Amino acid sequence: MSITSEPIAENAADTSGKRRRRKRDKTIHTGESRLAFLLLAPTLIMLTVIVGYPIIKAIYQSFLTDPGLDSSGFFNEGNSWNGLANYKHWLLQQCPGAGGVTESCPTGNLGAQFWSSVGITIGFTVVTVLLETIIGMCFALMMHRAFKGRALVRVAILIPWAIPTAVIAKLWIVIFDPQGVLNNVLGTDFAWTSESGPARAAIVIADVWKTTPFIALLILAGLQGISNEIYESAKVDGANAWQRFWRITLPLVKPALAVAVIFRSLDVLRMYDLPWILTQGANGTTTMSILVVRQLNSGLNSASALSTITFIIIFAIALGLVRLFNANIVERGTR
């Protein structure tokens, strides 16, 4: 009995020791969680007041009527319950025979203006982000190489991104003016912002020129994390330059590239200042943000509905991009 009881006693002691350690570790983690919550509480409260309250207030106002004349011709003070009427005006009304052009739609036809702005905004997003990604990748690969004067080249490439957008827009107004720099170089007198196609191209060119360095900087940070030994091994195995880029550089730089594309897409989807300064939203350049600001002058509650719809669209696109790149928004820890 004494021989068999000793292993049993040792096993019981080990089990009780493991239980005490697990209990102690759980207590430590619980204490750390409480401390982390207490440290984050002021920030969470501030975000709730500054961000959460305006969002909830805007959503509530989107279900109310705007001041104006009612069906009998009397003035209505507004702010009465309106249900989904504001959303129906933006989402369901169409403009017959307008061909999607905002300027040819009646003033009261909000739906045609909204869908036109959605198409214009998404078009700007696809074209600008695609061009910025391609050019930014080329710039990042160039800045990543070791050559004399590399620091000066990096600074020169980053200068457009450091200049405020309003200054950039004014600069490009001078360039695209009928008597501006571009026409003097080309020997023409074309008004670049007077028609739909050239006006949109002007906005794309200005935006790509300004924000390509942002993507190049993020990609460069990803390139600097790749060891040269990987490339040397690939060269020994006979991989050419294109194979090294496609099989090594692109997969390893994908996290940085995903962050760049997602951030820039969200930035273009809410673009306001650049197209407004260049064209004031005329000639088929009215983005969703410009439409929201215009609607604020007509009716706050209707503008709140439009802002809510815009937020949902941008959130859905952001979620789709995160799923496309398989990006982890929250890193799950394992113990």
Side-chain angles (χ1 to χ4, degrees):
M1 293 295 293
S2 60
I3 296 176
T4 58
S5 62
E6 290 180 359
I8 296 175
E10 291 178 358
N11 293 334
D14 292 340
T15 303
S16 61
K18 292 180 179 179
R19 290 177 179 175
R20 285 194 298 269
R21 285 195 297 271
R22 285 198 296 267
K23 185 176 181 181
R24 184 171 62 253
D25 294 341
K26 184 178 180 180
T27 304
I28 293 174
H29 293 313
T30 303
E32 291 178 351
S33 300
R34 290 177 180 176
L35 179 60
F37 177 77
L38 292 176
L39 293 175
L40 291 175
T43 303
L44 295 176
I45 295 174
M46 185 175 296
L47 288 176
T48 302
V49 174
I50 297 177
V51 179
Y53 174 75
I55 292 177
I56 296 174
K57 182 69 173 179
I59 294 175
Y60 171 73
Q61 288 182 329
S62 66
F63 297 102
L64 305 179
T65 59
D66 288 316
L69 298 178
D70 56 18
S71 57
S72 59
F74 291 97
F75 180 77
N76 182 10
E77 294 182 355
N79 293 328
S80 59
W81 187 256
N82 200 26
L84 298 175
N86 291 331
Y87 291 94
K88 291 179 180 178
H89 281 304
W90 288 114
L91 295 175
L92 301 182
Q93 289 188 10
Q94 301 296 327
C95 187
V101 181
T102 304
E103 286 76 12
S104 60
C105 298
T107 304
N109 199 309
L110 304 180
Q113 299 179 35
F114 170 70
W115 289 114
S116 175
S117 66
V118 170
I120 292 169
T121 305
I122 294 178
F124 280 148
T125 303
V126 173
V127 175
T128 55
V129 173
L130 180 62
L131 292 175
E132 290 167 6
T133 302
I134 296 174
I135 301 174
M137 177 66 76
C138 296
F139 282 176
L141 292 173
M142 180 181 65
M143 291 187 293
H144 186 60
R145 291 179 175 274
F147 58 90
K148 187 176 181 180
R150 182 176 64 174
L152 182 61
V153 172
R154 289 182 177 181
V155 173
I157 290 177
L158 293 176
I159 286 177
W161 181 51
I163 301 176
T165 305
V167 178
I168 294 295
K170 288 295 184 180
L171 172 65
W172 283 99
I173 286 178
V174 176
I175 295 175
F176 289 122
D177 189 81
Q179 285 78 39
V181 178
L182 184 59
N183 282 328
N184 289 332
V185 173
L186 298 178
T188 60
D189 56 353
F190 184 73
W192 291 90
T193 58
S194 62
E195 297 180 9
S196 176
R200 294 177 183 178
I203 294 174
V204 169
I205 293 172
D207 189 64
V208 169
W209 183 82
K210 173 178 170 52
T211 53
T212 295
F214 172 75
I215 291 185
L217 185 64
L218 292 180
I219 296 176
L220 177 62
L223 290 175
Q224 291 179 341
I226 303 176
S227 175
N228 290 327
E229 296 178 356
I230 301 177
Y231 292 105
E232 296 297 332
S233 300
K235 288 180 181 180
V236 172
D237 293 337
N240 56 33
W242 173 251
Q243 290 174 336
R244 294 195 299 270
F245 172 79
W246 188 257
R247 300 292 183 180
I248 299 175
T249 302
L250 201 57
L252 294 180
V253 85
K254 179 182 176 181
L257 185 62
V259 172
V261 171
I262 292 173
F263 272 65
R264 275 301 301 145
S265 298
L266 298 180
D267 196 23
V268 181
L269 287 171
R270 57 184 177 83
M271 181 170 57
Y272 170 79
D273 44 4
L274 183 61
W276 177 254
I277 296 175
L278 280 175
T279 63
Q280 286 75 48
N283 300 319
T285 59
T286 300
T287 62
M288 290 188 291
S289 297
I290 292 178
L291 189 60
V292 170
V293 175
R294 284 180 178 174
Q295 187 60 28
L296 286 173
N297 299 324
S298 302
L300 179 61
N301 297 331
S302 179
S304 298
L306 177 59
S307 300
T308 304
I309 297 171
T310 302
F311 168 77
I312 294 174
I313 292 175
I314 295 176
F315 179 80
I317 294 175
L319 184 61
L321 289 174
V322 170
R323 296 291 298 272
L324 177 64
F325 287 101
N326 293 324
N328 293 324
I329 300 300
V330 179
E331 186 71 20
R332 295 181 179 179
T334 56
R335 286 192 288 266

